[in-house]
Amino acid sequence: MLNQLIEHKQQAQAFWQAWLAAYPSFQKLPAREIVEQSNDILQAHLPDIAFELENANLSASDNAFTHSTIVFTAHGVMDKFIQVQAVCEQAPDNLPCAIRGFRQAMPNPDKFVIGMNDFDLSVSDIVVKLDEWCEMPALEVAFTKTIDDEFLQHAQHMTFIMLDHVLGEWNSAVKLGTVDFIEQADEDFEPLSTLPEKLQTMWLAMGRNGIYPEECDYAVAQIEEDEGQDALFFRRNQSANSLLGRADMAWVVSITCQIEGDDDVQAAYDLQDAFEAYAIQNQQGIDTLSLMNLSQGERTVFAVTSKPEILLAQAQKLCEKFAHLNAQAYCEYDPNWVHYRQ
């Protein structure tokens, strides 16, 4: 996965080089043509994301970048968020306007309407109910207008697009867990327009304020061995929960090692201590979880980080130091911390 990040950063650098070369020709074009030509350049390098120009006067013949923001979007597809973050991170300093990764929530969504394939769906046609399930906000959705069976699947697809605009692209993909469609709403359902505030309130109530913890509290749990189930021992950093959902804390680096005797147990703890110390340097990351498979004699430690290249390199050095444990390092993109919640 880290190889993908490195490749995307190289592609992003090539995009910006090509875009800046074309920029002089953009200055007298209307915004619509700038967006089209910018996307043509972007598609040659990062074809899974799109270039948008926010707050631009689409009919203007000049100064299209004045008071505008360049926005890169993956259209809510979380697997492609790596590319959005890479192109923003590699952006040069001499751009004509600000840039941002991901669409933000629209300020006044009440009258927002989507029309696709002769079918219209508005925010007022949707009511929602927000609950918590598996440590994530879970959403139930119902329609307030009658939708023919032939359009139902289409309406559900449009609802996900609507959520992307109403909540913002990152919030919709990362901060929502399950989304279920219900045939009939009950009295607890509320208008879709209330969801941004409801989601933010729930997210903060779950302790996810984005603030790096001053101290860490840990919880442990154990699963006994049973038919088809290995014996497992978990140790989770409960305080790390405050950082879940932060866009810069989207990478998880882990080290897995084999334990065959008492000496290996102490070595595994030494490895974990060194790894966690690396992870928390300059608050660039934090240890999240350790998992001991007692049946298989395997131990894995996890940390999230904003600097995956650095932490993975440090983890690989530790694997060399503890080679007698057959230690192996891994890196994954995990923006909503699946490893931490399951």
Side-chain angles (χ1 to χ4, degrees):
M1 183 66 75
L2 186 59
N3 289 337
Q4 288 185 24
L5 175 62
I6 294 171
E7 181 182 356
H8 291 327
K9 286 186 175 181
Q10 292 171 343
Q11 293 166 333
Q13 290 171 356
F15 159 74
W16 283 119
Q17 184 177 6
W19 192 85
L20 286 175
Y23 173 68
S25 67
F26 291 160
Q27 296 185 53
K28 294 186 178 181
L29 292 178
R32 192 180 304 279
E33 291 186 33
I34 293 173
V35 171
E36 291 175 356
Q37 293 188 27
S38 295
N39 273 300
D40 288 341
I41 298 171
L42 186 61
Q43 292 303 298
H45 302 282
L46 293 164
D48 296 319
I49 63 176
F51 177 108
E52 297 178 350
L53 200 56
E54 188 179 86
N55 297 327
N57 182 352
L58 297 182
S59 62
S61 59
D62 57 8
N63 299 322
F65 292 101
T66 304
H67 307 303
S68 297
T69 299
I70 295 173
V71 178
F72 293 94
T73 173
H75 304 296
V77 181
M78 191 160 56
D79 289 344
K80 310 302 181 185
F81 282 8
I82 305 175
Q83 298 181 37
V84 172
Q85 292 183 295
V87 77
C88 291
E89 183 179 330
Q90 298 302 310
D93 295 330
N94 57 334
L95 295 177
C97 63
I99 71 162
R100 189 182 71 245
F102 310 112
R103 294 175 181 143
Q104 287 187 326
M106 43 179 23
N108 298 298
D110 303 71
K111 297 182 179 180
F112 182 53
V113 179
I114 297 178
M116 295 175 61
N117 299 334
D118 300 321
F119 180 82
D120 290 339
L121 190 69
S122 69
V123 168
S124 60
D125 295 327
I126 300 173
V127 290
V128 296
K129 181 167 67 173
L130 197 62
D131 289 305
E132 183 179 338
W133 187 75
C134 290
E135 298 187 85
M136 289 291 284
L139 190 68
E140 291 184 340
V141 180
F143 298 114
T144 58
K145 72 174 185 178
T146 302
I147 299 176
D148 295 338
D149 290 344
E150 62 180 305
F151 286 110
L152 184 57
Q153 186 173 0
H154 185 54
Q156 292 175 352
H157 172 69
M158 291 171 67
T159 300
F160 283 103
I161 299 174
M162 190 91 68
L163 290 172
D164 183 45
H165 286 80
V166 171
L167 290 174
E169 187 173 3
W170 179 267
N171 289 342
S172 177
V174 173
K175 294 186 178 181
L176 274 184
T178 59
V179 178
D180 294 319
F181 290 90
I182 308 299
E183 288 188 12
Q184 184 65 44
D186 60 35
E187 60 183 10
D188 293 328
F189 279 67
E190 300 183 66
L192 175 58
S193 59
T194 67
L195 184 58
E197 182 179 353
K198 296 288 184 181
L199 179 61
Q200 178 66 3
T201 299
M202 177 175 284
W203 197 255
L204 292 175
M206 297 170 102
R208 295 165 186 167
N209 56 18
I211 300 174
Y212 199 94
E214 294 183 4
E215 297 180 356
C216 290
D217 294 322
Y218 294 86
V220 298
Q222 187 165 346
I223 298 176
E224 299 296 333
E225 187 172 24
D226 200 353
E227 183 177 354
Q229 171 63 61
D230 289 343
L232 304 175
F233 181 82
F234 299 86
R235 175 178 178 267
R236 191 171 88 152
N237 185 350
Q238 300 293 81
S239 303
N241 175 67
S242 65
L243 304 179
L244 201 166
R246 259 180 50 170
D248 61 333
M249 295 287 183
W251 290 87
V252 57
V253 176
S254 62
I255 299 178
T256 297
C257 61
Q258 302 295 324
I259 298 176
E260 298 180 357
D262 292 341
D263 292 341
D264 290 346
V265 172
Q266 183 57 53
Y269 278 117
D270 292 342
L271 185 158
Q272 178 174 346
D273 289 344
F275 176 61
E276 292 178 352
Y278 280 134
I280 65 175
Q281 285 182 345
N282 302 316
Q283 298 188 358
Q284 65 188 22
I286 195 168
D287 58 287
T288 51
L289 182 72
S290 65
L291 168 62
M292 179 66 190
N293 186 316
L294 300 170
S295 301
Q296 302 295 325
E298 183 177 271
R299 183 176 182 83
T300 304
V301 292
F302 301 85
V304 296
T305 181
S306 60
K307 304 291 184 182
E309 300 102 322
I310 295 174
L311 185 57
L312 180 60
Q314 292 167 329
Q316 290 169 336
K317 289 180 181 179
L318 286 173
C319 289
E320 294 174 2
K321 181 178 179 179
F322 292 88
H324 62 287
L325 298 179
N326 192 27
Q328 302 289 324
Y330 304 92
C331 183
E332 296 291 337
Y333 188 66
D334 187 15
N336 55 3
W337 293 23
V338 173
H339 79 281
Y340 182 75
R341 297 182 291 105
Q342 292 186 345

